[in-house]
Each structure stands twice: as structure tokens, then as C-alpha cells.
Amino acid sequence: MKRTLKALTLGLALTASTAGAQTTVTFWTWYLSPKFDGYIKDTIAAFEKANPGIKVQWFDKQDSMVQDFIASVNLGNAPDVVNLNIDETQKAAQNGFLTAVNTLTSPATLRSTFYPQSLSNFTSGANTFAYPWYGWLNEGVLLYNPDLFKKAGLTRAPRTASEMLTYAKTIKDKTGAYAWVPALKDPNTASFLGYFYAEGLPVTDASGKAAFNTAAHANLLAQYVTLYRGGYIPEDAVRREAFQLATELYAQNRVAMIIGGPQALTRIKDTNPSLYAKTVVTQAPLGKAGVQTGGSMGLVIPKASKNPQAAAKLAAFFTNNANQLGFARVVPVVPTTLGAQTSTQFKTSSSDPVARATALVGASGRLINPGYKAPGNSDDLYKNFNDNIEAALLGKKTAQQALADAAMYWNANLKK
Amino acid sequence: MQVHWRQSLMSYTFLAPALILLAVFTFYPLLYGAYLGFTEYNGARFANHLPPQWVGLRNFETVLGDPLFRTALANSVKYLLVVPALQLASLAVAVLVAKNIPGIALFRAAYYVPVITSVSLAAVMWEWVFNREGTLNWLLRALHLTTPEAAFGWLNNEHWAFWAVMLVTFWRGFGYYMVLYLAGLQAIPEELEEAAILDGASAWQRFWRVTVPLMRPTILLCTLLSTIAALRVLEEVLVLTNGGPLNSTYTALMYVYAKAFQGFDFDYGVASAAGLVVAVVALLLSALNFRFFHREEEQA
């Protein structure tokens, strides 16, 4: 009797523990709370409902994301799914922090879900290290202030990158406002390389060595130097992030145009609703190469994750077509899924600037490409590149000398 | 008197918690950090759970051979110019506000506000001051010292950004040292001051002959603290100029910070080596401070 009771108790205990066996997946996002709490929580709830054995613990990280990630690996409590951008994913992958997602989800599934370029953005060597998530296009949309255009005697938006440079002089001379804020040296990246890519000028050669020191590159940089030194670009552009500065000055009627994704409009809507209402949204001019630059977020699985399979399920769920389209309905982001291309969601005709901007770029995720991939030791290389761009802008070096110095440093300090 | 071993044990028992905390949170990290300066320990080793690898003096060669570090260290040493200005000003104002006059508490509190103001908030405020269209240029124009055409953003100018950031450090540190000096002033026996008055000493003479000599330990403490703080300046530089323009505000601690916490490309070995070089400079300067004040004391 005693034995039967013991067996029964043990059996019951085992059944209970099996029934309650749950994998908890820790999910870190980057700068999404509190604005998008509703979307994230709803998506997590839908995931948990579809996967009863998996529970998700969500944390939103901000400034200290990367440091927290590194510390968590050291402490042995690494998160399972982490939201990183292209550059940080490349750096983390190069240093061995990440699991290749093509070992968790079949490459065929990845290829049938995401644009080839989106996967390529997160590919290092032969492996892909993130499920591409929402993206944005730097040149996707051009927003302009019609009053400043009228004052400058302009009737239409610029159609080419070189026309943008001409507009810079016209607008400043006639209105006192700056035409736009180019990304000359955004912190923690080498944003000017994007201009080379847009003009069809190579950033690196086939072996990964710097190839941005030709006369054509120097000529392009020199045009920006002339504008900067002539006072046609805000001097703060060497110190502050261009997008941040542009949205701030645009709302004050001190910048006539913003080139960027629809996300700029949401900020203007908050700070200057009347200017938002009259802002004209149109296609942004492209450089000679006719390509866009842009960025994307991805969801990575740290090598130190204790639940890589469950983590992969969650990452794939968040980045699937339906959920990316859902996110694009909440905020004007560009989905990175193949399915978004044919979605009717981006075929709306509305007079609302955000809706128009979203319609312009929403189905263009295939074009998202930063134009360069983070090289090994990129933080040092980016700093040196930016220092040289700054030296050219401030007249300490010629454009050619600055690029030659940066290329020399780049090639001497490049780590594979 | 012989101390009984039980009393001795009791003393150490009371000391133990503090000693353990110090050992864990101060001495161990300090020694481990120094050890890392002689090792290779970067993102790739860290991610693959490989231990630090001894490389001798290689990191020091890297750091001292890096023109960016040399510029950064030179900037940090130049930054020490804030120390005498800060000490003289805070001591002078402490003497002025030490008097019990109506409303003085509000005055003291006002000076202390910058100490407790967050650096990001302070940065926004100083941006308004230093901007091309900011209050500083407006003031200079109002005083007919400059013209609208000659105006520039102080933080974007490679000749002025350094001094602009230093002014923010001065502003942030002023109240803190003033409070320390106030505490020192209040510890001076009143009868000494009264005796000097009876002897006919002027306010100036009382300040130099009575106040300053008696304040020497506080001055030494404040000078040491502000010397170390100046060498370790980071926050205001990071948020105001990020080290630019042309690295004119890039300090040694920014270099350490960049190498240690820049992201996945971090290199704890190089960062620790750079940190050790800064620590050695700080120790040398502290020794100089002690020597200077000791000699002053002997002469007095």
C-alpha cells in the first residue's frame, strides 16, 4: 500500500512538473518602451498563446544596451533574443558573441521570408547573425517646408544629389535658413561613407581594404567642405547627429528640408503641428548610383543564450511578415520581409504627411543598405575616418589628404 | 597598557565588514585592473570565454605610441589649469558666504545647485550659452566686443571648445568645494579671529595670516580632489563635444572609456594600460601637492 502511494505521489509530481515545464525566454529591445509598449506586449501575448511552453520576459534597454549585453554574458545570465542594429550585429558577430541564425532556422526559410539585401546586411562571412527586423531608408523621403521654398524662389524639390548642393546655396542666401543637414560625421559610425556609396564610389576593395582615397572621392568631399566653410551647413553638424539636429532645426523653420524616413515627421508633429500640417512629402533625390542608403534593426541570439531554439522561435515570430506589417501600422518603419512588397497597406492615398511618407517607402525594404559593412576594429577606424573628415571641414587638411590619411590608418589597423 | 587579545579580536570584528567590502569592491578591482593592463583581453577573447593572456608591456607600448592617447593625456594635464582657479574662487566665496547675514543660506544653496544638476541637463543649458545664437555671443555683442558676423559656436571651435568645457567643469565643481571650505572655515576657533581684530589686523591680513594657514589641510584636500577630478574629467566632455573639434577636448579618460566601453570592439588590456598611465600621473601630481603644502607648512 505504502509503495503504491509512493508511486502515485511520484507519478502525480512528475505529471505536474511536465505540465508546468516552461522555457522562459528573455527578450531585450532597444529604445522601444514606453512608446511601443502596446505593440510589443500584444505581440508577446500572441507568441505565448501560439507557443504555450514558452514564456517571454521583456526588457527595454536604452543607452547602456551594449554594455549590459557584455556584462550579462560575463555574469552568465545572457538574454536570449536581443535587438541590435546592423553595425552592432556585425561587431558582435566578428567578436564571437552571436549564434548564426542560419543554424537555427533553415537558410531556405530565411530566404523565403526576408529580402536578400536585408539578410546580406546581417551576414558576416558565410553566416547570417540576425533575423532582420524593421528598417528605414535614409534617402527614402524628402520633407520640405513650402514657405521657405517659396521665399527662396524654388518651385519643386531637388531631384538629384548634386541639385541638393545647389539648393543649399540658394536657400541659405535667400532665406537665411539652411537647406538641409548632411550626415557628415554621425557619432559611432562613419556616415560620410554613405555619400560615397550613393554616388557609386567604392568604400572598400574586394579584399576589404579602404578604397575611398581616389580623386573622385576627394572631389565629393571637397564639395561638402566648400559648403561647410561657406556657412551653408550648420556648424553643429560636425558635433551632433545630423538627423537629431535636422528635426530640431526644421521645427524651428531654420532648416528647409529633411532627407530621411517618415520617422522625422512623428517628431515634427509633436513639436510644431502647424508646420507638420503643411510639410510637403516627396521622393528624395538619389546620387549617381541611384541607390538608397538605410539601416535596419535585427534580432540576434547570443551565443551565451541558454534557450537558443525557443529564442529563434520568438525572433522569427517578431520578424515575420504579419508582425512587421503590424509594427509598420503603429510607426512608419520599413518592413524587411518579402511579403511587404505586395502589401496593400502601403498603397493608401492620404493627405496626412506620415501616411504619405509611409506609403512612399513602406514597400521599399529591399533597398535598405547602409552602403558599407563594419570592418574589424571598426570603432577605431570610424573615429579616425571622422577625425579626418572633420579636419577637412575645418580646413586643417585638404579633402584628398584627409581621405588618404584615413585610408592609410584604415588599412594599417584593419582586423579581419 | 597591554591590549587583551579579546579586545583586539573585537576591534578587528568591527572592522571586518568594512575591510571585506573594501577588499571586494576597491582593492580587488584595482589590482585586477592593474593586472589586465599587462594582458590581452579583448571582445573576441571575452566572448569565447578565454582568460586574459599575459603580454607584458605590449599594451603600454600601444598606448604610449598612439598619437590620440598622447593628445588626450596632454589635454588632461592642460585641464589641470582649472584647479587653481576653482580653488581660489571657491575659497574666496566660502569666506564671503561664511558670514551669518540674512538670506545667506539661499545664496549657499544656489551655489550648490550645479553640483546636483545632472550632466545631461547641464549640457542642454550650456548649449544655449555656447551656441552661435546663444547667450554668450549675445552678451559679447551687447558689450560691443564682437559683431554678429564674427560670432561662432564656442563648442565647435577648436581653439575655444576646451575652455568652454572647462568653464562647465568650474561651474559644476564650484559649489562642492565651497561647501568643503565652509566646513573648514567653521572649524576655525572664533577667538583667533577676534584676537587678530584686537591686534588691529585688517581683513586682508586676517585672511592671509589666520584663515589661510589654518585652512591648509582643507586646501590640500580640495586641491587633491580637484586635481584627480580634473584628470578624470569625462562626462561634460562626452556630452558637450564628444572630444572634438579636432580632438581638442579629447581627454585621457575618454580614451580609457572608449577602449573599455566602446561596444563589442572593446579592449580591456589597452584600456587598463591607459588607465594605469593616468593613475601614475595622478599619483605624481598628488605627491607634488603634498610636497608643496608640506614645504609651505615648514616655512610657516
Side-chain angles (χ1 to χ4, degrees), chain B residues 57-67 69 255 259 270:
Chain B
L57 295 172
R58 198 179 74 191
N59 291 330
F60 292 90
E61 284 168 23
T62 306
V63 164
L64 295 170
D66 187 345
F69 180 73
Y255 184 92
K259 293 289 176 193
V270 170

Side-chain angles (χ1 to χ4, degrees), chain A residues 23 26 50 84 126 133 154 161 171 179 181-182 216 244 264 281 284 293 329 361 376 381 390 401 404:
Chain A
T23 304
T26 316
L84 291 180
W133 201 13
L154 298 167
I171 291 174
V181 185
Q244 188 86 24
V281 178
T293 61
R329 277 193 291 274
V361 297
L381 304 187
E390 190 174 63
Q401 188 61 52

Side-chain angles (χ1 to χ4, degrees), chain B residues 206-228:
Chain B
R206 291 201 303 275
F207 176 71
W208 283 110
R209 302 276 167 83
V210 179
T211 310
V212 170
L214 288 169
M215 286 287 285
R216 191 167 284 124
T218 315
I219 296 171
L220 173 62
L221 172 75
C222 290
T223 309
L224 271 179
L225 287 177
S226 83
T227 300
I228 293 165

Side-chain angles (χ1 to χ4, degrees), chain B residues 71-128:
Chain B
T71 302
L73 193 61
N75 283 339
S76 288
V77 173
K78 193 167 129 194
Y79 215 89
L80 291 169
L81 288 173
V82 77
V83 175
L86 190 54
Q87 296 314 310
L88 280 174
S90 45
L91 176 61
V93 173
V95 170
L96 291 176
V97 301
K99 312 229 175 341
N100 279 327
I101 48 176
I104 202 71
L106 185 72
F107 197 59
R108 288 176 196 165
Y111 276 117
Y112 201 74
V113 168
V115 181
I116 51 168
T117 304
S118 84
V119 72
S120 46
L121 191 66
V124 172
M125 197 192 82
W126 283 98
E127 278 264 353
W128 295 337

Side-chain angles (χ1 to χ4, degrees), chain A residues 53-68:
Chain A
I54 306 174
K55 191 165 170 47
V56 180
Q57 266 191 335
W58 171 49
F59 300 93
D60 187 65
K61 295 280 172 178
Q62 310 224 334
D63 265 1
S64 58
M65 159 67 103
V66 173
Q67 284 76 32
D68 288 356

